[in-house]
Amino acid sequence: MRYLKRKIDIFLEEWKQDIHRKPLIVKGPRQIGKTESIRNFGTKYYAYVVEINFVEEPKYKQIIEDGYRTADLIRNISRMDPSKRFVEGETLIFFDELQEFPEIATALKFFGQDGRFDIICSGSLLGIHYSRIESNSVGYKTDYDMFSLDFEEFLWAKGYDTLFVDDMLAHMRKLQPFNETELSVCNSLFLDFCILGGMPAVVREYIERDSFEGSLITQRQLLSDYEEDVRKYAQGMDQMRILNVFRQIPIQLAKDNRKFQISKVASGARFKDYRGCIEWLSDTGIVNVCYCMNFPELPLKGNFDEKKYKIYFADSGLLVAMFDEEAQEDLRANRNLGVYKGALYENVVGEALVKSGYGLYYYKREDSTLEEDFFVRTAQDLIPIEVKATNGRAKSLRTLIESDKYEDIHYGIKLINGNVGYADQIYTFPYFCAFLLKRYLKPDH
């Protein structure tokens, strides 16, 4: 099976080179390629890899019976499987499916102090156990958040190299429009990515078959697996409420007002009853929550209303897989997004921002039509980002830039199904450039 190059590969190499490296915890939703990437790294850089999966081999939960000291754990693992080799400086110990056994995080402090072996832990749905893991290992670990493939990783999978991406960024920085061929190629690749999303199983199938054949079946199986996780891990909570919220997301995103309304989820539903459900889905990494700002100004943290939000899928392919049958057929056969066009592009841009390290915020003024899709910040500026389904005028964006009320806003970005441009303090880029915004906004350019 062909390995898909990932951004975590670079991070893991840098981690290995750090002489002060701490045990590493790789977080992220299920089936995004965590285990595969860690195994690939392990076989490349270590003579010995000791892998323990707490789901497949629950017997290993007994290794802490004599305490958490490294020598005790190594001895107990060796007793259970004498073939596992522990050679100082040459061994990676990989604890997988950490969510099944968060207690092992207590051992990270002792492994870190011992220093003879490198430790990587990984698991799905770690967010919901994280306070427990954090308290057990605070100060003795490094965290890495992993996601499904972003558009850049998708391009790598398709065989495009870093020069292709560098050229896209150069177009943005020079405000140089793409020529017709470049635009056509990038738009076509991006639409494929929108339809497929970035789940490795879906992308690999698409690359191997060079078609969408089977992709919907794989996506729907992933959705089914996520729903199964709700039933398995959402303990002490109303699982049906969580599933109802999950299933409502595409319906509410398809509306002009994409604000998520709890009242539409079920008859008599109230925010206080569902608050934990949204937090649970967010903590698992299945969804991205975009909060409404109280006022468009810096700082962003704390400046939002927790009762007003939009919910996007963390992977656009899973949103697409929940569309109705007619929309599916039209999308895959004719590449027509229909009524879901605005929702899908907004979801993909939100996904790109999160994968770049941004939080998600929007703004809607109650007493007017002023509304903006996303905001990001640099050291000095608050930058509104508008995602246009059609290439019309950006009235709200202009108001935010031109009005004296919004002191932190000096320019804006508009993402469209079109080309690079600039006018009246608004930078316009094609949708497919969304994943490059953080690099574009870096002060060194």
Side-chain angles (χ1 to χ4, degrees), residues 284-384:
T284 61
I286 297 171
V287 304
N288 295 324
V289 182
C290 180
Y291 288 101
C292 184
M293 296 169 71
N294 296 320
F295 189 77
E297 65 183 355
L298 295 173
L300 289 169
K301 283 193 175 162
N303 174 25
F304 62 85
D305 186 339
E306 62 173 16
K307 293 185 180 179
K308 293 179 187 168
Y309 48 86
K310 300 176 186 180
I311 306 179
Y312 299 107
F313 276 90
D315 186 90
S316 63
L318 300 184
L319 167 64
V320 166
M322 291 181 82
F323 291 169
D324 52 66
E325 294 294 336
E326 293 75 19
Q328 286 289 346
E329 205 169 309
D330 205 13
L331 184 57
R332 284 163 209 271
N334 308 316
R335 299 163 78 83
N336 177 28
L337 301 174
V339 296
Y340 294 104
K341 184 191 289 184
L344 183 55
Y345 283 134
E346 218 173 280
N347 196 98
V348 172
V349 171
E351 180 187 337
L353 294 176
V354 169
K355 288 176 177 178
S356 300
Y358 288 116
L360 296 186
Y361 302 94
Y362 77 102
Y363 181 62
K364 171 84 172 82
R365 218 170 100 180
E366 294 298 329
D367 60 350
S368 80
T369 57
L370 182 68
E371 183 169 9
E372 202 50 80
D373 299 322
F374 300 107
F375 289 84
V376 296
R377 66 163 300 172
T378 61
Q380 292 84 26
D381 297 310
L382 180 64
I383 302 149

